[in-house]
Structure formats: structure tokens, C-alpha cells
Amino acid sequence: MRLEKLDSCAVSDALDALNLPGSVIGLKKVWDCGRVVGRTVTVKLIPKKPDAISHRHLGTSAVEAANDLDVVVVDNQGRLDCGAWGGILSFASKEKGIRGIIIDGACRDADECREVELPVWSKGTVARTARNRIVEHSFNEEVQVETVTVSPKDYVIADMSGVVFIPSKHADEVITKAEQIYSKEQAMIKDIKAGKAITEVMGKNYETMLEGGNK
């Protein structure tokens, strides 16, 4: 996958250059995991009404539907008062080979995520259960992560800098642009290693590196 050779910053810059949304603010690694790249399987959670009955545990259908190319994306509207993902889901995800979990909300059982080496990004961690607080509304339908709309089978890249989504219909142009940006950055680094002054290298290239052509 071409995206695996890039980082979130180059992809975010590419989205900016193409006037597309995708970069999410406020999600961080739950533990010191590596970079994750994959296709999205989505889960939408909603507050549980007093008389509502949950017919399945949140996240389970997404785990069953996902494969080793996928990242599960959970929309819990940024809630931090209860966990939108937990340890048993993490163990099951690892068994399926799922690449990682992105949560617009809180994760619980963070130690177990680390124990099974499942990469997770979230807005925070919490011990409080989801029981009687939230339920699953749907999976593999359009969701919202912060201000970014995410559809099933979109692309996502997550690393130390953050989380960035790429709409599947724009994937080729975004990745191509990100590759161009990455190449320009590598050329600038090469110039610095060759002894050129940082003021010369960045003054000439940095402000135009998101533009087209070979500027």
C-alpha cells in the first residue's frame, strides 16, 4: 500500500493543498504503538435511552466484519465519561488481525490494549463502563470524527503526530500529492546534509511546497 510509505503530516499537507478535510485534532495514542495505515470499518455510538434495549454489544459487528487490512473507527461524539472500547474487543480485534482502533471518545482497558499490542488512538482513557450509558446505533455507515466525515472503506493513517482520513474517492490524488510533498521534503533534507544553510533551503522551497509542479 503506497500510503504505508508516508506519514500523517505529508498526507495532511496534501489534503490542505487539495482543499479537502481529513486531519483530526485531539486524538492521541493510548500507548506507545507504531504507525497504522488501513481501510475504515465504522461504528456509531449514541447515548442509551432509559427504556432502550441493546441487542448487541457495541463494536462486535465491526470486529466480525473487519479483516487484516482494516482499522475500526468509533464515533462516540468525543465523550470522555465512559469507555467506547474495551479489553475484550481489543483481544478479539488482535485475533482478527485488525490493524488498529480510532476512537472519537474514550478508551478503557488501556493496559490490555498495550498487552495485546493493538494500536489505539482516542481522546482519552477512562475506567467507567459503557453499560447503561451508550449503545451501538450502527456499523459500516457514515460517521463523524471531530469535524471529519468518515465513510466505510475510506483510508486512514495514524502516527505520533495524529490521525488523518482520506476519502476513498480522492485517495489516488491525495496520495500522489503526498508523495510529491514527501519527495520535496527529502530533497530539502539532502540539501541540508550537503551543507546548504537552512535559511536557503526553507526560504526557497517551504512556502511553495504544497503547490503543483516542481517549485
Side-chain angles (χ1 to χ4, degrees):
M1 190 183 296
R2 291 160 61 196
L3 192 57
E4 291 178 324
K5 299 178 181 179
L6 300 168
D7 61 25
S8 66
C9 294
V11 176
S12 179
D13 287 354
L15 289 164
D16 277 350
L18 297 167
N19 294 314
L20 294 170
S23 187
V24 177
I25 297 171
L27 300 185
K28 296 183 178 181
K29 292 180 178 183
V30 169
W31 62 281
D32 189 22
C33 55
R35 180 185 304 167
V36 165
V37 173
R39 304 295 296 267
T40 59
V41 174
T42 61
V43 180
K44 181 176 180 62
L45 306 179
I46 58 173
K48 183 180 183 298
K49 295 180 180 179
D51 57 346
I53 299 174
S54 178
H55 296 288
R56 64 172 179 253
H57 190 284
L58 59 88
T60 53
S61 294
V63 171
E64 288 187 359
N67 60 41
D68 61 0
L69 298 177
D70 293 332
V71 175
V72 175
V73 179
V74 182
D75 171 5
N76 195 28
Q77 299 87 51
R79 285 183 62 168
L80 295 174
D81 61 320
C82 61
W85 193 266
I88 296 174
L89 288 171
S90 294
F91 279 104
S93 297
K94 191 67 177 181
E95 288 295 310
K96 287 292 297 285
I98 292 169
R99 294 189 172 197
I101 313 298
I102 309 294
I103 308 166
D104 187 8
C107 176
R108 71 192 305 242
D109 300 317
D111 292 317
E112 293 178 31
C113 296
R114 180 177 58 189
E115 180 182 336
V116 299
E117 299 183 347
L118 179 71
V120 180
W121 279 253
S122 73
K123 281 199 164 180
T125 56
V126 67
R128 184 182 288 171
T129 180
R131 294 182 191 91
N132 295 316
R133 294 187 174 95
I134 53 177
V135 294
E136 182 175 309
H137 176 270
S138 60
F139 86 99
N140 259 355
E141 295 184 4
E142 185 177 277
V143 299
Q144 196 81 7
V145 179
E146 276 286 319
T147 59
V148 177
T149 300
V150 181
S151 298
K153 297 300 180 183
D154 281 348
Y155 290 86
V156 61
I157 179 168
D159 56 22
M160 184 70 77
S161 295
V163 177
V164 181
F165 294 99
I166 306 172
S168 58
K169 64 182 178 180
H170 296 295
D172 186 65
E173 62 180 322
V174 171
I175 294 170
T176 297
K177 186 66 177 178
E179 289 170 338
Q180 294 170 354
I181 292 168
Y182 177 80
S183 293
K184 289 180 181 181
E185 290 175 338
Q186 293 306 301
M188 292 164 70
I189 292 170
K190 184 177 179 180
D191 284 344
I192 292 169
K193 288 182 176 179
K196 289 188 179 180
I198 184 69
T199 51
E200 177 187 357
V201 173
M202 297 196 76
K204 178 182 177 182
N205 295 308
Y206 190 75
E207 295 303 324
T208 59
M209 68 183 300
L210 299 188
E211 298 174 6
N214 297 314
K215 294 180 181 180

